[in-house]
């Protein structure tokens, strides 16, 4: 593994620790965001560090080289590249429709006066859209992979 992998992992972990430290020391409205950023930094950071330690051991070097070779083959496989492109295009079109639908829904709710805590609903809606887009991309890719 590259040395930069462990440096990125250490950076993520330190960022998470700093965010959690600030959240523990101070008390203000954005404290929940700091807790979330702290967890989001520490979790992947520790995983990166542990992966680096695991794959750097001499007994795991041959398996790591095999995985790296297989990953390179899969990344440049023409069929998979075409499937990735097509699934991205289909996902984009689906999300465009979802965004248009949500704009209409939010406009109607706002006009009727049901949209009083505006920011919470918008953030919640954006999170749902992000998760939906990710899952939709996976489903479309898998369906195309089976068909083609």
């Amino acid at each position: 593994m590259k040395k930069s992998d462990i440096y990125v992992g250490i950076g993520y972990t330190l960022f998470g620790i700093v965010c959690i430290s600030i959240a523990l020391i101070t008390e203000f409205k954005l404290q929940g965001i700091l807790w979330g950023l702290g967890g989001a930094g520490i979790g992947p950071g520790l995983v990166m560090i542990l992966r680096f330690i695991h794959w750097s051991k001499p007994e795991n070097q041959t398996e790591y080289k095999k995985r790296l070779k297989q990953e390179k083959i899969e990344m440049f496989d023409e069929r998979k590249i075409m499937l990735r492109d097509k699934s991205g295009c289909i996902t984009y079109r689906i999300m465009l429709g979802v965004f248009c639908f949500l704009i209409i829904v939010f406009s109607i709710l706002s006009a009727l006066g049901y949209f009083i805590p505006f920011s919470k609903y918008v953030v919640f809606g954006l999170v749902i859209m992000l998760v939906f887009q990710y899952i939709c991309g996976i489903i479309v890719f898998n369906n195309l992979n089976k068909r083609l």
Side-chain angles (χ1 to χ4, degrees):
M1 292 196 76
K2 298 180 287 186
K3 283 277 190 193
S4 63
D5 292 343
I6 195 163
Y7 296 140
V8 171
I10 291 170
Y12 275 36
T13 306
L14 290 177
F15 174 75
I17 290 171
V18 167
C19 286
I20 288 179
S21 300
I22 293 172
L24 283 172
I25 294 171
T26 61
E27 180 102 17
F28 60 103
K29 291 182 179 181
L30 300 178
Q31 188 175 3
I33 294 174
L34 286 175
W35 282 102
L37 287 173
I42 291 175
L46 289 176
V47 169
M48 287 179 191
I49 292 169
L50 291 174
R51 271 193 192 153
F52 181 83
I53 292 170
H54 175 74
W55 292 117
S56 295
K57 291 180 182 177
E59 62 266 12
N60 297 328
Q61 287 294 316
T62 56
E63 170 131 15
Y64 177 69
K65 288 179 183 177
K66 286 179 189 175
R67 284 186 180 214
L68 201 59
K69 184 178 177 183
Q70 183 65 28
E71 184 178 318
K72 283 184 181 181
I73 291 171
E74 287 185 14
M75 285 299 291
F76 295 109
D77 182 22
E78 294 87 8
R79 182 176 174 275
K80 296 230 182 199
I81 290 172
M82 191 248 337
L83 290 174
R84 254 192 312 263
D85 292 344
K86 192 164 180 127
S87 67
C89 181
I90 293 171
T91 302
Y92 171 76
R93 289 179 183 165
I94 291 170
M95 289 311 297
L96 188 62
V98 169
F99 288 140
C100 292
F101 175 74
L102 285 175
I103 288 171
I104 292 169
V105 169
F106 288 145
S107 298
I108 292 170
L109 289 175
S110 179
L112 294 175
Y114 293 119
F115 219 96
I116 296 169
F118 180 75
S119 63
K120 287 183 181 180
Y121 289 128
V122 171
V123 170
F124 184 71
L126 291 174
V127 168
I128 289 173
M129 288 187 298
L130 182 68
V131 170
F132 177 76
Q133 185 172 0
Y134 179 74
I135 292 172
C136 187
I138 292 171
I139 290 171
V140 169
F141 180 82
N142 288 335
N143 285 339
L144 289 173
N145 196 19
K146 288 178 185 175
R147 266 197 284 157
L148 299 176

